[in-house]
Amino acid sequence: MKVILVTICVLLAIVDGSYGLSCVKCDSAYDPSCHFMQPTNRATECAGGGLPEGVQDECFIHFTEMGITIRGCLSENPHMLEVCESGTGSCTTCSGEQCNIDQTLREACAVCDSTVDPNCASAPSSFVSLCPFHYEYDVGGCYLHKKTDGSVARGCMVTGTNDLITTCRTGTDCKICRGSGCNTKVDFQQCHVCDSEDEAAVFDNSCLTTPANTRTQMCQDYSDSCAQLVIPNGKTVRGCFQELDEGISTFCPSNNCQLCSGINCNRDIFPQDRITCYQCNGTENCHRDMTTIGEQAYPCRNYDYQDQCYTVQEGKFVYRGCMSDRTAEKETCNAAGVECNKCTGQGCNSAPVLSLPAPRCQQCTTSSSNSDCAYHQPSSKATQCNNEVEFGEVEQCYISVQGDVVRRGCTGDHYCDSNNCETCGDDYCNSRNEAKMNCIQCHSLQGNEQDQAKCKNTPEELSSTPCRLDEMYSTGDTGCYSIRLSELFYS
C-alpha cells in the first residue's frame, strides 16, 4: 500500500511540472536592468492560478506611460489582462518559455570625438543619438574618454572595443554613466572633500570658513553629485555623494544636506544661515574692539541653528567664541553665568572688554617744595590714575614711607615694583596722615616736682616725645604749643 502512494505522488509532480511556465519577473522602478535584454536564466516559474477559467497563463512585458518596464506572469498579475487589452502604454504577451526577455528602452548617448569636432569637448549636447538595440544592462551605458593627447571621445559602451571597455571599467581616464544623454556632462564629477573634525581641521578651519580652499577629488562615478552637509553632532562634511559613509549619506537630501552637480560646486559656507562669531582664546588683543584691529568673524565649528556668540573675561584673559563650542573656554562662559555676555547675530561679539575704571588717588612726594605730603590729604586734591597698565589689571592707590620721605600715587607708575608700598583700591584711600610730630609734653602742676619746675621755667631741659596723631591729622593741625593756665583754674 505504501508503494502505491509514493508512486502516485511522483506522477502528480511530473504532471504538474510539465505544464509550468517560466517568465522573467522584474520592475525597472527598483531594478534599472529590467529595461534591457534579459538573460534566459533569470526567468522563474510562474505560480499559476489566479486567471479566469479558460484563460491560458502567459508572460508579459509592460512599458508604462511613465517609462517603467514591468515583466512577469499573467497568473501572478491578473490585472495585467485588462491593462494589455486596453492598450495603456505598451504591453505585449507571449506564451513561450522565457519569452519576455526583449529590451524595451533604447539608450541615447553623445557620440563624438573632439579630434573631429572640437565641440565634442565643450558642447556635447548636440551630438546625442540612439545607441544600437538589443543588449543586456551590463554592457550598456554611455562613456566619456579623456585621451592622453588631450582629446576626448564620447559614445555608447555597447559599440566600444574590448580595450575601451576595460579602460572605462577600471581606469580613471574613462568613466561610464547611465541615463539618457548622461555623457553630455562636460567633465568628470569633481568635489571638495573635507571633514571639520579631521585632525588637520583642528588647525585649519577652511572646511568651515573658506571651503573653496579645501582639497578637491575626482568622484569615482561620472554622474555623481557633490554634497555639503552637517550631521547631528554639528560637524560639517563635504565630498562626493556616492562616496560618503553610509551613516552620513542617509541625511541627504534634506535641509541639512545640499547636493549639486557642478564641478567643485560644494564650496559655499553651509548652511548659509550658520552664525559667525569672533573667536580668540586669551590672546594679546582678544579684549580689544575686534572691528578696529582687522579681526574676522568665522563660522562656528559645530552647527546649531540656535547658536550664539559669547565673550567672557577670566582675570587677565578674555575669551570669545560660539556657545556650540566644546572647549574649556566655553565652559568658562558657562561657569561665569550672567557675567558671560551672549548675543545672537553675525559677528555680534566684537565689542571691546573694558578694564574697571581706575581710582582717584593722592599723588605727591614730600620735598622741600611740598612738605605737606606726609599729612592727611583732602579728597579735592586726588586725581584720576591714567597710567597704561596690562589688560585685566586695575591701578590702585599706594602710600610708601621711606625714612622721612612719604610718597603717594598710583601703582601704574611702577614705583612699588621696587619699593615697599601699602596699596588700596578705593577713591582717596591713600589720604591718611603719615606725618610724625615730636613735642615737649609736660604740665607744671602734674608729674614729679622736678619736671613740674622745668615745664614752667626751663622746658628746653626736657626731652621731646612723639605726639599721638590720628589719620586725619593735616598740615593745618601741625605744631607744638605752650600755654600758661591761671592758677585759679586749678584751685
Side-chain angles (χ1 to χ4, degrees):
M1 190 64 159
K2 293 181 179 178
V3 174
I4 295 173
L5 287 174
V6 171
T7 303
I8 292 172
C9 292
V10 171
L11 287 173
L12 287 173
I14 293 172
V15 171
D16 184 64
S18 66
Y19 290 99
L21 177 68
S22 294
C23 304
V24 175
K25 306 170 188 177
C26 61
D27 185 331
S28 66
Y30 307 100
D31 178 5
S33 70
C34 194
H35 286 306
F36 295 83
M37 283 285 292
Q38 302 296 305
T40 56
N41 62 6
R42 189 175 185 183
T44 57
E45 189 174 353
C46 299
L51 293 173
E53 186 176 350
V55 177
Q56 182 180 354
D57 197 4
E58 292 183 297
C59 302
F60 73 87
I61 305 174
H62 182 210
F63 187 70
T64 72
E65 293 177 326
M66 301 297 292
I68 296 173
T69 298
I70 302 173
R71 303 173 192 265
C73 309
L74 287 178
S75 61
E76 297 176 8
N77 302 273
H79 65 283
M80 289 304 301
L81 278 172
E82 182 179 352
V83 172
C84 291
E85 290 174 358
S86 67
T88 303
S90 174
C91 183
T92 59
T93 59
C94 57
S95 56
E97 280 288 305
Q98 305 165 353
C99 60
N100 62 339
I101 63 173
D102 289 342
Q103 187 170 345
T104 60
L105 182 68
R106 195 170 181 181
E107 288 187 297
C109 302
V111 180
C112 59
D113 191 315
S114 65
T115 59
V116 177
D117 189 331
N119 288 323
C120 183
S122 57
S125 297
S126 60
F127 298 98
V128 175
S129 61
L130 293 174
C131 297
F133 216 29
H134 302 302
Y135 54 87
E136 294 181 9
Y137 179 80
D138 290 344
V139 299
C142 306
Y143 71 85
L144 165 60
H145 183 202
K146 299 172 73 172
K147 303 177 185 178
T148 56
D149 63 1
S151 65
V152 301
R154 305 174 193 267
C156 305
M157 284 301 300
V158 70
T159 64
T161 63
N162 289 335
D163 288 343
L164 178 66
I165 292 172
T166 301
T167 298
C168 293
R169 287 180 176 174
T170 60
T172 58
D173 297 329
C174 183
K175 291 187 180 293
I176 304 170
C177 61
R178 306 303 296 240
S180 181
C182 63
N183 66 337
T184 58
K185 189 171 185 175
V186 173
D187 203 350
F188 300 147
Q189 187 62 39
Q190 186 167 288
C191 303
H192 288 277
V193 179
C194 64
D195 184 326
S196 65
E197 285 193 354
D198 279 349
E199 183 177 351
V202 174
F203 305 99
D204 179 8
N205 286 328
S206 57
C207 194
L208 302 171
T209 60
T210 53
N213 294 338
T214 58
R215 72 181 181 91
T216 59
Q217 174 180 299
M218 184 185 298
C219 301
Q220 295 178 7
D221 194 313
Y222 176 19
S223 56
D224 204 352
S225 300
C226 295
Q228 49 190 10
L229 67 153
V230 292
I231 63 176
N233 71 355
K235 80 170 181 176
T236 300
V237 177
R238 303 175 191 275
C240 301
F241 171 60
Q242 295 185 33
E243 297 174 35
L244 295 176
D245 291 342
E246 184 176 349
I248 294 178
S249 61
T250 56
F251 297 111
C252 300
S254 67
N255 290 337
N256 287 337
C257 176
Q258 185 180 76
L259 301 179
C260 56
S261 57
I263 301 300
N264 298 328
C265 57
N266 60 339
R267 57 178 176 270
D268 301 321
I269 290 178
F270 181 81
Q272 291 184 347
D273 65 346
R274 75 187 303 157
I275 194 171
T276 59
C277 299
Y278 288 96
Q279 302 173 49
C280 53
N281 297 328
T283 55
E284 180 180 354
N285 293 323
C286 199
H287 66 284
R288 299 179 62 184
D289 184 338
M290 297 287 102
T291 62
T292 64
I293 61 173
E295 291 293 328
Q296 289 184 326
Y298 292 109
C300 299
R301 179 174 296 279
N302 305 301
Y303 176 71
D304 181 348
Y305 74 98
Q306 294 180 316
D307 212 351
Q308 291 181 296
C309 303
Y310 74 84
T311 305
V312 65
Q313 181 178 357
E314 183 182 40
K316 296 181 180 181
F317 301 102
V318 170
Y319 307 117
R320 301 178 191 267
C322 311
M323 288 304 295
S324 61
D325 290 343
R326 295 187 282 271
T327 61
E329 291 77 18
K330 200 290 289 286
E331 291 307 313
T332 299
C333 173
N334 289 342
V338 296
E339 296 301 318
C340 179
N341 294 317
K342 306 179 187 70
C343 60
T344 303
Q346 303 297 340
C348 60
N349 62 336
S350 62
V353 177
L354 303 177
S355 297
L356 294 173
R360 297 176 63 85
C361 300
Q362 304 294 348
Q363 302 182 58
C364 62
T365 304
T366 54
S367 64
S368 58
S369 59
N370 185 20
S371 59
D372 69 342
C373 187
Y375 297 93
H376 176 267
Q377 303 294 302
S379 60
S380 59
K381 294 182 65 176
T383 56
Q384 189 83 42
C385 296
N386 59 4
N387 298 296
E388 185 174 342
V389 296
E390 184 178 344
F391 176 78
E393 291 186 354
V394 179
E395 284 199 272
Q396 293 185 301
C397 304
Y398 71 83
I399 300 176
S400 176
V401 180
Q402 306 293 326
D404 294 333
V405 178
V406 175
R407 179 171 175 138
R408 306 173 192 267
C410 306
T411 52
D413 64 14
H414 300 292
Y415 176 81
C416 297
D417 293 352
S418 55
N419 294 281
N420 292 327
C421 299
E422 182 180 343
T423 59
C424 55
D426 298 327
D427 286 343
Y428 329 125
C429 63
N430 64 339
S431 297
R432 73 169 185 264
N433 172 64
E434 289 293 339
K436 302 292 187 292
M437 176 65 66
N438 287 346
C439 293
I440 295 173
Q441 300 179 64
C442 62
H443 197 297
S444 63
L445 299 179
Q446 296 177 6
N448 59 58
E449 293 182 359
Q450 184 177 2
D451 286 346
Q452 288 181 17
K454 289 181 179 180
C455 185
K456 181 176 181 180
N457 301 313
T458 56
E460 65 276 8
E461 295 180 5
L462 297 173
S463 298
S464 61
T465 58
C467 299
R468 290 184 298 172
L469 308 178
D470 62 23
E471 292 186 352
M472 301 299 291
Y473 188 77
S474 67
T475 186
D477 300 323
T478 188
C480 300
Y481 71 88
S482 176
I483 185 171
R484 181 180 292 276
L485 300 173
S486 172
E487 293 181 4
L488 294 176
F489 183 82
Y490 292 97
S491 63

